[in-house]
Amino acid sequence: MASPADSETWMTLVVQPNDTNPLGTLHGGRLLYWMDECSSIAATKHSRAVVVTVSVDGVSFRHAIELGSVVTIRARVTRTFRTSMEVFVEVWAENIPRNQRIKCNEAYYTFVALDERKQPLVVPDVVPTNEEERRLFDGAMRRRQLRLILAGKLKAEDADALRALFMPENPDSKK
Ligand SMILES: CC(C)(COP(=O)(O)OP(=O)(O)OC[C@H]1O[C@@H](n2cnc3c(N)ncnc32)[C@H](O)[C@@H]1OP(=O)(O)O)[C@@H](O)C(=O)NCCC(=O)NCCS
C-alpha cells in the first residue's frame, strides 16, 4: 500500500518551435504525449512494474499554451482496482518574465501493470491521506464504472457507484 504522494511525479518542459501548431501555440497531441509520459512514471512508481495506457478521459484544454511557456505537469495515482490504476494529471503553463502561471489542463489516465509475460499484474492499493486524496479516491470508482460502460466492458445496471450518484435511494422508501 502507498499514498498518492508516493507516486507523485512532476515534469517541467519549455514549449519549443517544433512543439507548436500553425497558430504558434502548443500542439494538443504533444501535450497529451507529455501527460502520458508523466502519468506512466507515476503508475510505474506505484506498481513497480511495466505499465501500458488503457484509457484516457476527462481531458480538457482550457487555455492555449504559448511558444516559450514553461509547462509543468503533475501526476499521481488516485486509486487502484485489481490490475489497473487511475492517475490524475494536472498541467500549468508559466510565463516567467511576466510572472504569470495558469492551470491549463486536467485528465485521468488509466494504466494496467503487466508481468514478464505481458499479462495484467495485481497492483498494491492506494491509501488516501488527506481530504483532496480522499475526494479523488472516492470519485475514481464512479469514473471507472463510466469508462468501462463506454468501453462496453460493464453493463449500466451493474454500475452501483454511478447509480448511487444519479439515483440516490429514495429516503421515503425506508419509511
Ligand atoms: C491493457 C491490456 C493488457 C488489458 O488486457 P485485457 O484483456 O483487456 O485484460 P482485462 O480485461 O483483464 O483488463 C485488465 C484491466 O484493464 C481494465 N480495463 C480494460 N479496458 C479498460 C478501459 N477501456 N478503460 C479502463 N480500464 C480498462 C480492466 O478493468 C482491468 O482492470 P482491473 O483488473 O483493475 O479490474 C490490453 O487491453 C492491451 O494490451 N491494450 C493495449 C495497451 C497499449 O498498447 N497501450 C498503448 C501503449 S502504452
Side-chain angles (χ1 to χ4, degrees), residues 24 40 59 66 71 80 92 94 108 110-112 115 126-127 134 143-144 155 169:
S40 72
V59 186
E66 289 173 11
V71 173
T80 62
W92 294 266
E94 194 170 359
Y108 295 94
T110 304
F111 293 89
V112 174
D115 65 16
V126 167
V127 181
R134 263 187 289 279
R143 290 187 293 274
R144 166 185 165 85
K155 290 185 189 152
E169 203 176 326

Side-chain angles (χ1 to χ4, degrees), residues 51-55 81-84 110 112 114 118 120 144 147-148 151 153:
V51 302
V52 286
T53 316
V54 72
S55 100
F81 297 96
R82 209 177 80 81
T83 64
S84 64
T110 304
V112 174
L114 300 181
K118 300 184 185 168
R144 166 185 165 85
R147 66 176 74 97
L148 290 179
K153 298 202 161 196

